[in-house]
Amino acid sequence: MPKDGGIGASTKRREDVRFLTGNGNYTDDINLHGQAYVHFLRSDVAHGRINKVDTEAASGMPGVLRIFTGADFEGVGGLPCGWQVTDRFGEVMQEPAHPVLAQGKVRHVGDPIAAIVAETYAQARDAAEAIEYDIDELPAVVNMKDALKEGAPKVHDDLTSNLCYDWGFVEENKAAVNEAFEKAAHVTSLELVNNRLIANPMEPRVAVGDFNRSTGDHTLYTTSQNPHVIRLLMGAFVLGIPEHKLRVVSPDVGGGFGTKIFHYAEEAFCTFAAKALNRPVKWTSSRSEAFMSDAHGRDHVTRIELALDKDNNFTALRTDTHANMGAYLSTFAPSVPTWLHGTLMAGNYKTPLIYVNVKAVFTNTVPVDAYRGAGRPEATFQLERVIDKAARELGVDPIALRRQNFITEFPYATPVAVEYDTGDYHATMDKLTEIADLSGFEARRKASEARGMLRGLGVNCYIEACGIAPSNLVGQLGARAGLYESATVRVNATGGLVVMTGSHSHGQGHETAFPQVIAEMIGIDASMVEIVHGDTNNAPMGMGTYGSRSLAVGGSAMVRATEKIINKAKKIAAHLMEASEADIELKDGAFSVAGTDKSVAWGDVTLAAYVPHNYPLEDIEPGLEETAFYDPANFTYPSGAYACEVEVDPETGRVTIESFAAADDFGNIINPMIVSGQVHGGIGQGIGQALLEACAYDENGQLQTGSYMDYAMPRADDVPFYTVDHSCQTPCTHNPLGVKGCGEAGAIGSPPAVVNAVIDALQRGGKNVTHIDMPLSPSRVWAAMQG
């Protein structure tokens, strides 16, 4: 059994005390002396040429301090893209400018035209209504395939077309893949949509800019998942502020789901305006603004084909995807449909030949970037849907077909350039069969049938590449930043530790899980370890939290720094006990000399580090503080098998999820309760995508789902109680904790399980339905049943 507070203990999240009692410190809670407020005037047309922005009348309104337009940002850098993709012809992607405020044109509904700074938010909003502007509305392009047609309106006049890049992977496999399809005994094809989603974290985005004229120092308080990256991008590429003169603080953050990874125009504006006005400037997004300014997710249209031989072995796979970039390139947008998607198309299967083509397209819509899972859910949905369809066409059991094609030997190099170090896909499927009670499905189906309902079972598998790194690899693939993580461990004289990390927490439970790791290494109570994050002045340069990387990468940096601490502490202990350093052991918070009864407590050694009376300073300098950077050798590869049972009402098409089971392999587990919570949340988001959520635009680029009246978020009664298990552990072989990521798995594995279950229910009910695009709303399901 794990020790109290150590690795493997389901310790309650310590941060929840302040959240549940209303004592969290969110960015909107920060109010600075003399603070002004900004309201953004946003475009109400999707595409247009700006002829005039007349601010004279608005500037004289009560409380207005200044109104900024695009002209104020001439000579100021635009928002940078952090990843450059090279296409299949060896050409780099088209990369348009992304101004802080619109210059010359607006390119999506919500594009900021002007920013009004006033004494109060109400005054700023009122002044916005007095601004007179003239925009020649231009034809908008929303549909990706239409955007690529000859003569289509161009989102960016200075680009050759609306094609950002045409990416092929692995290009040298293409001919062999095509030949395999020609020789295949059976080919299954499927066209599907990964619907556009809006993240909708509980806390909307907020930015507060401050400037100290006496020192020239800038401070930005912002709702960010990676404050160091914001400092780097905004300082170096947008506003030209040296990093040592720019502090970025990200306090408690109420959820992110990817949408708070990126650098946004509002952050740059508030920082710029604070200096221009010599007073703090604050912006808090309304929920309506969030719908048309936060980066959206997914939005892929794909044709996928699977080739099988006469024995039902997978022989080749090929996909053709159109990926929506929106009107501009968000920070990591180009990487999502390429390196985070194409490299996962092997899934859990030993398919020898794979070719992935992705055409990234500019449209007059909100930019699209990473959303929980980021490319991996899109790949899993394509693959698991086409496998399920193939099983039905061949008349074989979907689970048996998957098992037959599972990878069984590790390490395994896929044909899409990644190497899985460990895994046991049969074990997770065995566990799923047990916890989902698959043997009892037929009895449950008959019971549903007796009530006039159609019951279906959907099963799927997933594999994820997370803990994104190593830096040298992603650099070759186009990343414009390193993807390491850092930690500084500072030991106080009385034995307590402060760990400063570049990994930011916005719901993951870092303040609980990270101390469990440190406490286990030293043998002390986890309450003695404090985690500090979210402030670039208080933590070493780190790359933030996304891609299920915090424990695998950030936690590994902490392990390395703590190892340095322990090694130095052993030297001190050796002097204190007049023993050889090689004989010193650390266990249960005490140092001892091997083979003797000599020992000294952890606290005595840490005190001696700061009161060095008993050892020569020429050998050991005072203090106990160490920093480590960790750059992993590979991704981690969590995997699992999911099962969903649904009932479909044949009269209305309404889908009810009756049960959901998830068997995951996350390697070693630090806190089982936190892991279960992460899986629960991910499954809920996946169910939302499968059944409810869809961001929609009309043909003119008007956002039709701009509020919760139109965008259907899952509620408590839309999801069941989940059965989750993570006992199938194949530890990661290349990080010191043996951990794999867990934060995105639920969102990756759940959508295909739900859709497979609905299709199964309809086919068992005699309906000739092979696919329905997400979300599977009652109207869509009912229409499909009517043929």
Side-chain angles (χ1 to χ4, degrees), residues 177-190 303-310 312-313 315-318 386 389-391 393-394:
V177 168
N178 292 340
E179 183 180 355
F181 271 90
E182 292 172 4
K183 296 178 178 179
H186 182 86
V187 173
T188 294
S189 61
L190 182 61
R303 177 177 175 80
I304 182 170
E305 297 173 288
L306 176 66
L308 303 93
D309 66 17
K310 61 181 179 58
N312 296 341
N313 297 308
T315 59
L317 183 80
R318 62 186 175 195
V386 79
K389 186 169 185 276
E393 292 173 351
L394 294 166

Side-chain angles (χ1 to χ4, degrees), residues 344-430:
L344 266 293
M345 286 309 304
N348 308 63
Y349 311 104
K350 53 191 179 202
T351 311
L353 292 166
I354 299 174
Y355 178 72
V356 179
N357 178 244
V358 177
K359 296 176 179 66
V361 186
F362 292 112
T363 63
N364 293 115
T365 62
V366 171
V368 178
D369 209 317
Y371 172 82
R372 196 171 192 169
R376 286 72 58 88
E378 294 90 319
T380 299
F381 185 71
Q382 296 168 31
L383 185 58
E384 293 299 315
R385 282 294 298 121
V386 79
I387 291 173
D388 225 56
K389 186 169 185 276
R392 299 185 186 283
E393 292 173 351
L394 294 166
V396 299
D397 178 68
I399 294 177
L401 182 61
R402 287 175 168 85
R403 284 187 182 273
Q404 175 180 338
N405 287 280
F406 276 162
I407 297 162
T408 57
E409 297 181 3
F410 296 88
Y412 178 82
T414 76
V416 279
V418 293
E419 182 173 282
Y420 305 158
D421 59 334
T422 60
D424 189 340
Y425 310 143
H426 283 289
T428 51
M429 185 61 80
D430 291 343

